[in-house]
Amino acid sequence: MNWTIFAIALLLVGAIDRSFLPVFEVRGVVPTLVPALVAFVAMHAARPTAMWAGFLCGLTVDLLGPVPVEGMALVVPGPWALGLALAAWTGVQLRGILFRRSPAAFALLTFLTGLLASLVWTFVFAMRGWYPGEDFPWPGSALGNLTTRILDALASGVLAIPLWWPLERWIGWWTFPLPALRRR
Amino acid sequence: MVWCGALALACSFAPARFLKPWTGELGEVAWIPFMPLGLVMGQARAWLRPPIPELDLQSPLAQQLIRERNAYRGLYHSMRIETERLVRELDSVSRARLAVRDDRTALVPASVVGVDGAGRNPLIRIGQGASAGIQAGDVAIFGGDSLVGRVVSPVGRAGCSVLPVWSPRVGRIDARAKDPVGGVDLPVQVSVLASGSIVAQAPSGIELPRGTEILLDDREWPAEAQGMLIGTVVKIELPDEAPLQRRHVLRPAAPTKGLDVVVIKFSRLRTAP
């Protein structure tokens, strides 16, 4: 995989996610593009590459999005990185049973990526909530937060459908290995 | 990958006091490459969905806006009520005009401005008087053919009172009982009991069926009032003082409560008092 293209894509996706996509917010539900990027790489790249890509995407999300803890914005590098790396690994496992040239499959994998990463993120912060002096970074229950995150993942899946065509159009730039050469 | 994963796991569960000193600055450094594009995207977002400024409800501007809102809300409700009243008045006049097929009968719509005499001796105060040509004895109707009562003296220039047919002071009224289905057409006498019930008595203990309409047929009332509907038979009782008689309790044709518009009906050809 061409890492320069990946870096440019990550730069674009990170900036759009943080600064532009809140325009589509409906009742606290905001779609994001990072799960779509991870799902796209997981559908085509070799497993270690896909996991590294997921990890880097997650680390970027962690570093750009501090969490309110103890009355301050705390950057916790890890939850999204772990979640998206796990999601990329799952995507690699699932791609064999998906039609890769289908926007519906891409949307489904994007949703699953967002869902898995949200589960990990919620689990980590639910555990941290038990630490003395730290509280949960969400109002209400963890289940309520998870519901919102699942809806976020669903919105991301929907947003991934129109994103599929440009990604497929310029897939050659990514220099993914041929399916026969790709390590599983 | 394994070492990076382990490091990420350690950071994920590290207490906040270990992360505070260094992760904040790391996050700021990470933002640097995203900043130019983020600024452009932020402006695009603000252009597409401008932020709604929060208004301090205690500020003088907010207080003035609240006062204006309340004033206009009150004005809106009063105008709505007035419009509804005018629509009902128009409807009442239209229906009364349908019942009158000659030019000799005048119809004057009048708003009910109050009800004097609480309880069982009501007197309806209306907002039209002698300046509209109304005289004592004129008949007040509702909805085209429902009898309300008669105008009583004194009649002021811009107001007068109507004695409704459900007032005990009206006395006995001659009427006709008509039931188009059963073919009934009998003279009856209508009176108001002390209890406030309007009752009709048919001769020789004849029992009128429920739903029979009682229409005015009394020479002491103006010609314009003849044939107006007084009420409908809703119940039949056997009075203790006259067990062989039948007392037919009527439901007045005009609403006894909440009446807000009546139409005064009189002849244009009559002489001034």
Side-chain angles (χ1 to χ4, degrees):
Chain A
M1 186 180 77
N2 187 337
W3 285 99
T4 311
I5 293 293
F6 172 77
I8 293 168
L10 182 58
L11 198 70
L12 274 170
V13 162
I16 292 170
D17 269 5
R18 286 286 148 195
S19 305
F20 182 69
L21 284 185
V23 80
F24 296 116
E25 182 191 339
V26 178
R27 293 180 181 269
V29 175
V30 188
T32 49
L33 291 175
V34 166
L37 180 62
V38 174
F40 179 70
V41 174
M43 278 180 104
H44 297 97
R47 183 163 53 197
T49 312
M51 288 183 69
W52 271 113
F55 183 81
L56 288 173
C57 283
L59 194 64
T60 306
V61 175
D62 281 329
L63 293 176
L64 297 185
V67 177
V69 175
E70 291 181 339
M72 61 172 290
L74 180 70
V75 174
V76 183
W80 279 113
L82 289 172
L84 285 174
L86 177 70
W89 179 81
T90 312
V92 170
Q93 300 301 315
L94 287 176
R95 69 186 177 192
I97 57 167
L98 293 174
F99 292 102
R100 272 179 230 166
R101 298 275 169 172
S102 154
F106 179 50
L108 178 68
L109 200 58
T110 301
F111 167 67
L112 289 175
T113 303
L115 182 69
L116 271 175
S118 300
L119 276 171
V120 172
W121 189 90
T122 306
F123 172 75
V124 167
F125 281 98
M127 291 295 110
R128 291 182 67 93
W130 294 101
Y131 291 2
E134 288 193 32
D135 49 5
F136 301 111
W138 50 73
S141 65
L143 196 64
N145 169 70
L146 192 62
T147 309
T148 311
R149 296 275 171 182
I150 290 169
L151 291 174
D152 283 352
L154 205 61
S156 304
V158 172
L159 192 66
I161 294 172
L163 202 65
W164 181 82
W165 278 276
L167 285 172
E168 280 294 308
R169 173 75 178 76
W170 291 298
I171 195 167
W173 293 4
W174 293 76
T175 59
F176 287 124
L178 292 170
L181 301 175
R182 190 163 47 214
R183 282 189 297 152
R184 292 297 301 271
Chain B
M1 183 71 217
V2 175
W3 285 107
C4 283
L7 192 64
L9 195 65
C11 286
S12 296
F13 290 102
R17 65 176 181 277
F18 293 122
L19 297 174
K20 260 184 221 169
W22 59 280
T23 56
E25 288 176 9
L26 197 65
E28 283 175 28
V29 172
W31 255 109
I32 292 171
F34 293 92
M35 202 63 88
L37 201 55
L39 282 172
V40 176
M41 294 291 169
Q43 284 174 354
R45 185 192 65 198
W47 180 72
L48 280 171
R49 200 169 174 174
I52 301 165
E54 287 188 11
L55 189 63
D56 177 18
L57 290 179
Q58 301 305 321
S59 67
L61 176 66
Q63 291 295 319
Q64 187 188 344
L65 286 172
I66 289 168
R67 277 196 298 276
E68 281 182 19
R69 181 201 63 185
N70 292 344
Y72 279 106
R73 188 182 282 168
L75 203 60
Y76 163 73
H77 285 302
S78 68
M79 290 311 294
R80 185 175 56 82
I81 290 166
E82 176 65 8
T83 306
E84 286 173 0
R85 190 193 64 75
L86 287 171
V87 167
R88 280 196 299 275
E89 192 172 301
L90 195 65
D91 179 57
S92 192
V93 173
S94 306
R95 290 170 69 178
R97 200 165 289 286
L98 280 174
V100 176
R101 296 183 183 276
D102 58 69
D103 293 336
R104 290 171 297 176
T105 305
L107 299 169
V108 178
S111 301
V112 174
V113 294
V115 179
D116 302 324
R120 292 169 187 160
N121 290 310
L123 210 53
I124 298 166
R125 183 80 189 160
I126 59 170
Q128 291 282 16
S131 59
I134 297 172
Q135 294 177 11
D138 286 345
V139 63
I141 60 170
F142 171 82
D145 64 345
S146 301
L147 188 65
V148 175
R150 291 177 83 172
V151 175
V152 291
S153 56
V155 177
R157 279 194 61 75
C160 62
S161 297
V162 172
L163 183 66
V165 286
W166 53 87
S167 167
R169 285 186 290 165
V170 170
R172 286 185 177 274
I173 303 171
D174 291 332
R176 290 199 80 80
K178 290 210 174 193
D179 179 22
V181 179
V184 177
D185 187 1
L186 289 171
V188 292
Q189 278 204 319
V190 176
S191 58
V192 181
L193 302 179
S195 62
S197 304
I198 309 179
V199 294
Q201 282 195 328
S204 310
I206 294 172
E207 185 173 316
L208 301 171
R210 285 186 182 80
T212 303
E213 293 181 339
I214 308 297
L215 310 175
L216 187 81
D217 185 19
D218 194 323
R219 296 299 114 196
E220 290 185 10
W221 283 63
E224 294 77 27
Q226 305 304 320
M228 295 286 113
L229 184 63
I230 298 172
T232 313
V233 175
V234 289
K235 200 163 77 173
I236 298 148
E237 294 176 346
L238 296 172
D240 293 337
E241 65 275 11
L244 295 177
Q245 293 289 327
R246 297 290 184 274
R247 183 187 286 165
H248 304 89
V249 180
L250 308 185
R251 184 181 60 222
T256 56
K257 290 187 174 68
L259 189 69
D260 59 349
V261 173
V262 294
V263 174
I264 307 299
K265 194 176 174 188
F266 57 84
S267 171
R268 294 182 198 277
L269 303 176
R270 69 183 176 191
T271 52

